[in-house]
Amino acid sequence: MSEEHYLELCENPVQFENASSVNNVFFDEANKQVHMYFLHRMDDKGEVKCIKFSIGNKILAVQRTPKSVDFISFIPDYPHLECSQECKMKNASILGFCWTNWNEIVFITDQGIEFYQVLPDKRSLKLLKSQSVNVNWYMYCPETAVILLSTTAQGNVLQPFAFKSGTMSKMPKFEIELPVVPKPAKLNLTERDIAVATIYGQLYVMYLKHHSRTTDSPCAEVVLYQLPREGSCKKTNVLKLNTTGKFALNVVDNLVVVHHQSSQTSIIFDIKLREPDCALNVHQPVLPGRSIHPYRIPLTGIDSSSWSVFQPDIIISASEGYLWYLQVKLPPTVNLLQDKGKLMDFLLRRRDCKMVILSVCTQMLNGGDKGGLPVVATVFDKLNQVYKEYLEAEQTYTVATESGPSRGSAARERPVRRQAVIDQSDMYTHVLSSFSEKKDTSHKFIIAVLMEYIRSLNQVQITVQHYLYELVIKMLVQHNLFYMLHQFLQYHVLSDSKPLVNQQLLHTRLSTANDEIVEVLLSRQQVLGALRFIRSVGGHGNISARKFLDAARQTADQMLFYTIFRFFEQRNLRLRGNPSFNPGEHCEEHVVYFKEVFGEQAFMKQVTV
């Protein structure tokens, strides 16, 4: 059996000239681009320390010295205009820079940060704000425009700054808890130990924590610190790696991916999955470690040991000249995660999950899976909870739209229908319809599954579509389970609907349980339905007129009573040549009522020859 790879490199990588012909390779995190410095392509003004385009590739920034950054405009109205900017702080050295907008840039120096606006038409920069602080190293998250500065001697006090539309905000600083090491040794935090990424819409600082081999638990772990826009940063999750060595981190589809260098395998963590046998927010890998699905490069092959990892989901092989996006393959996870409830929790949070979820449901019903109906119920409940949340969001949006925007409130965005929303038509079309026709499965189990799905929908107050009821009725009639149909109708397990009544008529035409079905329909005030049913099975010649007239009177619907009364007049005329009721039918009170409401002239006249 071939290894089931649940991680793969994208099929169409970005290709660039391999680094053997260049002096340096730089990754531009804001634009997800690789920039290479060629001596013969740029004026030789000195070694390039860093080179990045602004967002949208409008302005190129090049750092050659510790004191200044050069700028080249690629804006059509100001092509190739150049300027240079020195850092303002005396005796400071520029560690690097980050673009936060198409014309806004931050210099990070060993003495603090300087926030500038680039003015291409004036060939100059305007200082917007600066902050003095001793800096060891920095890290930038372009998705959130947040910069982390490492301060203090050990480097483990991090000072975040957020940037938005020309403003710089200082966020509360926080301390990374370093592992205990034997004295007199000291441990410093470096940028290799830290990654910053967005997971489930929240910004996290991920710390790769290596424990001393002298401790009881020498295995490494990833500690997550949540960094809110407002309020202090707090330690929230611990990911247990259960091994030691060199690691690298990615985030793909809200999963933390940890690459282990020596074994060349990767493991994934989902911080929303709870481990029943672990402390709160302590996580084990969701799946066993696997290598990334091999990517074949023509002629040369690929050496994964030379890869560089960038956030959130990028892997670069500079020597081969490739940039890939890391992806999660969901189908292999189905066989690796045996717990169907946990598997469903995992799949429901992934991007391209719909067809995989439906295939899991089909597999679960069609064969061999242990657990039976309780497992089926768990899966249905999880699916319908997500379905219900989407319907409620849609309803809230509709109500808000119809009532118009309230003063001072922002316009609501229509809820996005994610692939995790599995509605009734999805389940009917892809799973239940074909499942109900399986000949090698017990009809009792099929009916139980259908009723379990209906129960699950009712539990979250989702209106059940008639085609699901029709499947149940079809199964009950096929196997002569009329007593069960009677019970379902009597106790409102199958609810009223016109399509449902018609389906009952269709499938009970040849049954011997006609009286039972009629009684149930009349008890639920489905008088016309009961009448149509009895006509369809050819039994209307000898049915009790009084039973139907009683039921029609109880509805308090005068036109319904008129219709039923007229029907039996026509029947009497056809059978006996006289529309009147015989004394033995005990319909006298209904005749009096009919006359009071509609008048004597409304009675059907006897036809004379």
Side-chain angles (χ1 to χ4, degrees), residues 324-540:
W324 294 277
Y325 289 95
L326 188 62
Q327 299 171 337
V328 176
K329 290 169 59 180
L330 292 181
T333 68
V334 172
N335 296 324
L336 292 171
L337 196 52
Q338 296 301 315
D339 183 328
K340 287 294 182 287
K342 188 175 179 180
L343 173 63
M344 207 52 60
D345 287 336
F346 174 78
L347 293 175
L348 283 168
R349 298 189 182 102
R350 309 284 76 83
R351 276 195 297 263
D352 302 318
C353 63
K354 174 168 282 188
M355 297 314 298
V356 179
I357 288 174
L358 292 169
S359 72
V360 169
C361 292
T362 299
Q363 178 193 72
M364 174 180 66
L365 298 178
N366 287 350
D369 283 328
K370 305 299 180 185
L373 211 55
V375 173
V376 172
T378 297
V379 169
F380 286 165
D381 287 347
K382 290 180 182 295
L383 294 180
N384 288 328
Q385 184 58 44
V386 175
Y387 180 20
K388 175 64 173 179
E389 289 168 3
Y390 169 73
L391 292 177
E392 287 179 339
E394 267 284 327
Q395 184 179 24
T396 302
Y397 170 80
T398 301
V399 171
T401 303
E402 290 174 351
S403 61
S406 57
R407 182 176 297 176
S409 66
R412 283 183 176 271
E413 290 187 8
R414 189 183 192 96
V416 177
R417 177 167 180 151
R418 300 182 298 118
Q419 285 211 11
V421 178
I422 309 293
D423 64 19
Q424 295 174 68
S425 65
D426 294 325
M427 188 61 69
Y428 175 85
T429 304
H430 297 282
V431 181
L432 297 178
S433 180
S434 57
F435 171 65
S436 69
E437 296 175 358
K438 286 186 68 66
K439 304 300 182 186
D440 57 349
T441 303
S442 162
H443 67 270
K444 292 182 179 178
F445 181 64
I446 293 174
I447 292 168
V449 166
L450 296 175
M451 295 309 301
E452 195 59 50
Y453 186 60
I454 289 171
R455 173 209 60 78
S456 180
L457 291 168
N458 285 327
Q459 180 172 286
V460 290
Q461 298 178 319
I462 296 175
T463 303
V464 182
Q465 295 298 313
H466 67 85
Y467 45 76
L468 294 173
Y469 288 136
E470 291 173 6
L471 269 185
V472 176
I473 293 170
K474 177 183 175 182
M475 291 298 301
L476 293 172
V477 171
Q478 278 182 351
H479 297 280
N480 297 316
L481 298 172
F482 295 107
Y483 176 74
M484 190 177 289
L485 175 59
H486 175 282
Q487 294 291 306
F488 285 167
L489 289 168
Q490 184 173 11
Y491 294 105
H492 301 264
V493 178
L494 303 178
S495 81
D496 300 321
S497 74
K498 184 175 180 180
L500 175 59
V501 171
N502 291 338
Q503 186 72 3
Q504 293 160 8
L505 307 181
L506 174 65
H507 288 292
T508 57
R509 182 164 305 192
L510 301 177
S511 77
T512 57
N514 298 343
D515 290 341
E516 276 189 274
I517 302 299
V518 167
E519 289 293 339
V520 172
L521 291 172
L522 289 179
S523 70
R524 304 186 72 186
Q525 297 190 336
Q526 295 280 343
V527 185
L528 284 177
L531 196 57
R532 284 195 295 269
F533 165 72
I534 207 67
R535 288 184 66 185
S536 72
V537 297
H540 56 288

Side-chain angles (χ1 to χ4, degrees), residues 19-69:
S20 61
S21 62
V22 301
N23 296 82
N24 244 322
V25 176
F26 301 100
F27 176 62
D28 180 349
E29 68 272 4
N31 295 293
K32 303 294 186 288
Q33 296 173 337
V34 174
H35 300 311
M36 291 163 292
Y37 163 46
F38 293 85
L39 284 174
H40 63 276
R41 292 190 187 177
M42 295 183 67
D43 295 334
D44 188 6
K45 299 179 181 178
E47 179 189 356
V48 172
K49 297 182 180 296
C50 189
I51 178 171
K52 295 177 186 178
F53 269 104
S54 69
I55 296 172
N57 297 326
K58 294 180 183 294
I59 305 170
L60 180 66
V62 183
Q63 182 191 354
R64 294 184 176 89
T65 75
K67 297 293 183 183
S68 65
V69 177

Side-chain angles (χ1 to χ4, degrees), residues 133-150:
V133 59
N134 290 328
V135 181
N136 303 308
W137 49 265
Y138 73 96
M139 190 156 290
Y140 180 52
C141 178
E143 285 77 19
T144 56
V146 170
I147 293 177
L148 287 182
L149 304 182
S150 164

